[in-house]
Amino acid sequence: FKAKEQRGSLSFFSDDLTASARYRLDLEQRLRYAIEHDELCLFYQPQWDVRTGELTGLEALIRWHDAERGLIAPGVFIPVAEQSSLIGAIGCWVVRHACQQMAEWLESGLDVPRVAVNVSPQQLHYHDLVSIVRDALQETGIPPARLEIELTEGVLMSSSIEPEVMLDSLRQLGVRLAIDDFGTGYSSLAYLTRFPLDLLKIDKSFTDDLLFSPEARAVVETIIVLGQKLNLTVLAEGVENSEQLDALSQLGCHQFQGYLRSRPLPIEEVQALLANLPH
Ligand code: C2E
Ligand code: MG
Ligand code: MG
Ligand code: MG
């Protein structure tokens, strides 16, 4: 590490540099420990049908239970993991755990329609997502259509992978493919026709502005129409109040998730929710 070696001459800004570098290194080391010692867990946020109110799926969202700091949100450690090889290990862990959990639920008679997992673009450099998914499906025996992979537009636009090949392979495994945070990335609409997708997730920022901004409303409306025309399910993220849900319903949005109906839940609470669903 250069700044450190030349400390005498560079100390003027290397102190700053080492402080942030040390923080990252520390976080990275603790995260490595966390992966090895089972400190990661998945919360699940229910997804709902706008029209019928039925449960359509659960999104797996990672949490880190650090002994000292308590529950750490993915916004803090996923970016650090993405800049190291850790994201590969985390991605693998998430896919396997979500599939195992689904298998457990199905075995115990809880009819969970679907579980969605998030995948980082960086993950694809380190691990073969297709083989991770294939192994997890094989190990757990869950119906592949009950697993949904959430990719961001960044994954599809990445030049270092061949998204077509990867998505086709995933699709051949029978899993569903979703685009997360749709509308926020540097994306080209062309990929919507090129890739075998199932679901578009309207980013929370559009849901937030839906009631106040005609522009946001126009974007939401356009995504919904696009979904209808291309035969893709459209889900709105981050729905926090019933006015937003009403507006989404009027626009023909299919599904939603958000604090209005449910936050991401720990396992015990998911199970209580599943057990109490009307049949
Ligand atoms: P995301 O996949 O877009 O997930 C949605 C985020 O919005 C979640 O935050 C969720 O808790 C939050 N959210 C849902 N409904 C509402 C709402 O009504 N209001 C508000 N204010 N927030 C809501 P979370 O769990 O902190 O995750 C943040 C991001 O971290 C995720 O965004 C995803 O990009 C990433 N992430 C989470 N789990 C994983 C994972 O297992 N692997 C990878 N690679 N990334 C993950
Ligand atoms: Mg997501
Ligand atoms: Mg999202
Ligand atoms: Mg988001």
Side-chain angles (χ1 to χ4, degrees):
F1 185 53
K2 253 205 173 120
K4 211 173 178 182
E5 285 162 15
Q6 303 173 344
R7 197 154 196 153
S9 55
L10 280 176
S11 63
F12 166 62
F13 72 90
S14 76
D15 274 352
D16 247 19
L17 223 131
T18 50
S20 78
R22 203 182 292 123
Y23 172 79
R24 295 187 60 80
L25 204 65
D26 176 53
L27 197 65
E28 197 181 310
Q29 271 162 4
R30 287 193 299 123
L31 188 52
R32 198 178 300 277
Y33 179 92
I35 297 167
E36 283 159 9
H37 293 82
D38 247 11
E39 291 183 353
L40 301 177
C41 68
L42 294 176
F43 276 34
Y44 292 87
Q45 187 176 34
Q47 303 173 323
W48 309 97
D49 187 291
V50 168
R51 213 168 38 81
T52 66
E54 279 169 65
L55 184 81
T56 58
L58 299 168
E59 179 178 7
L61 293 158
I62 199 167
R63 299 290 181 266
W64 174 9
H65 244 304
D66 183 66
E68 283 167 38
R69 303 188 188 189
L71 214 57
I72 306 176
V76 175
F77 65 90
I78 289 289
V80 173
E82 281 176 342
Q83 282 168 34
S84 71
S85 59
L86 289 175
I87 195 62
I90 290 177
C92 193
W93 183 91
V94 169
V95 170
R96 293 188 61 204
H97 267 250
C99 289
Q100 281 164 2
Q101 187 62 67
M102 172 61 101
E104 245 178 68
W105 281 327
L106 293 178
E107 241 160 67
S108 66
L110 294 171
D111 187 28
V112 181
R114 189 166 295 127
V115 63
V117 297
N118 293 279
V119 167
S120 288
Q122 286 81 354
Q123 188 176 329
L124 305 167
H125 300 295
Y126 294 100
H127 278 256
D128 182 3
L129 180 65
V130 178
S131 61
I132 290 171
V133 171
R134 185 189 298 119
D135 291 351
L137 290 173
Q138 234 157 40
E139 259 171 48
T140 59
I142 65 163
R146 302 227 185 193
L147 179 65
E148 188 164 81
I149 311 284
E150 291 191 9
L151 307 152
T152 55
E153 292 162 294
V155 171
L156 302 180
M157 293 297 110
S158 161
S159 55
S160 56
I161 53 163
E162 283 177 48
E164 261 138 321
V165 175
M166 183 188 71
L167 295 187
D168 282 342
S169 308
L170 285 173
R171 172 43 74 78
Q172 269 163 33
L173 294 176
V175 301
R176 285 171 44 102
L177 300 173
I179 304 297
D180 204 354
D181 307 333
F182 185 71
T184 59
Y186 301 93
S187 59
S188 134
L189 289 177
Y191 75 70
L192 290 179
T193 62
R194 263 195 293 139
F195 300 135
L197 305 170
D198 298 283
L199 184 133
L200 301 177
K201 299 189 75 174
I202 299 176
D203 190 65
K204 180 178 181 300
S205 58
F206 299 118
T207 307
D208 285 343
D209 295 345
L210 180 60
L211 300 174
F212 313 108
S213 151
E215 290 81 9
R217 192 186 162 92
V219 170
V220 169
E221 193 171 351
T222 303
I223 295 174
I224 292 168
V225 171
L226 202 58
Q228 287 164 349
K229 303 253 183 206
L230 296 176
N231 212 11
L232 303 169
T233 304
V234 178
L235 178 148
E237 295 188 307
V239 176
E240 293 182 343
N241 59 59
S242 50
E243 290 79 14
Q244 290 168 338
L245 185 59
D246 288 345
L248 289 163
S249 175
Q250 274 170 27
L251 294 174
C253 187
H254 305 114
Q255 300 177 3
F256 76 100
Q257 65 189 99
Y259 293 177
L260 170 65
R261 186 91 188 257
S262 180
R263 289 178 177 255
L265 304 170
I267 287 299
E268 319 80 61
E269 289 180 41
V270 180
Q271 277 158 198
L273 179 134
L274 291 172
N276 288 316
L277 286 176
H279 293 286

